Amino acid sequence: MWWLYFSQEEHLQTSDLNRALVWGYGHFIIFASGAAVGAGFAVLVDVISGHAKASLLVGDYAVGIPVAIYMLGLWFVRDRFCLTGNAKFVLPIFAILVLLAPLTPLALEGIAAMTALSVLVRNYMAQNNLK
């Protein structure tokens, strides 16, 4: 998640008031979802250790949903403005894949793999201006 945020395009590229407001207030989504990932891991630990009466799927989604919201938040404040072509849609696509990962046998590993892969794909496509 760190490397998704601190990409080459991580700064606000214009002083337009509307864009600055989206940038500033949109970061609430990014920071809140980042914090929610930590809370999701706490839920998952409670589920695995038997301290919560929820299914493992609920625990996996407690991590996956905030990760997906984080990706969509980054797309909302930055990528939809600064990327072109298909590169603009990398984070929403990976957000969907993160939401599907808990339905697989390797749920948490799938969330982690999709997040790591999103960094590689997004940065590759952004640097090479792939359409």
Side-chain angles (χ1 to χ4, degrees):
M1 291 172 57
W2 174 273
W3 292 113
L4 274 177
Y5 185 84
F6 290 107
S7 67
Q8 184 177 6
E9 303 83 14
E10 55 93 9
H11 58 279
L12 182 60
Q13 297 177 342
T14 182
S15 61
D16 175 57
L17 179 61
N18 289 333
R19 182 88 63 86
L21 290 173
V22 167
W23 176 267
Y25 288 111
H27 271 76
F28 175 77
I29 296 166
I30 296 168
F31 297 148
S33 60
V37 171
F41 276 115
V43 169
L44 187 58
V45 167
D46 284 345
V47 167
I48 291 171
S49 65
H51 291 97
K53 295 184 190 273
S55 69
L56 187 57
L57 183 65
V58 170
D60 290 331
Y61 270 116
V63 175
I65 290 171
V67 170
I69 293 171
Y70 180 85
M71 289 178 176
L72 292 173
L74 285 175
W75 172 82
F76 181 74
V77 302
R78 182 191 62 204
D79 284 7
R80 69 186 176 125
F81 298 117
C82 70
L83 296 180
T84 59
N86 291 333
K88 183 183 288 193
F89 303 107
V90 169
L91 288 182
I93 290 168
F94 273 96
I96 292 168
L97 293 174
V98 164
L99 291 174
L100 294 174
L103 302 174
T104 67
L106 298 173
L108 188 61
E109 294 85 351
I111 293 169
M114 289 300 106
T115 304
L117 189 59
S118 72
V119 174
L120 298 173
V121 171
R122 187 222 172 266
N123 289 339
Y124 176 79
M125 290 183 75
Q127 289 175 355
N128 294 307
N129 293 324
L130 296 177
K131 301 280 185 205

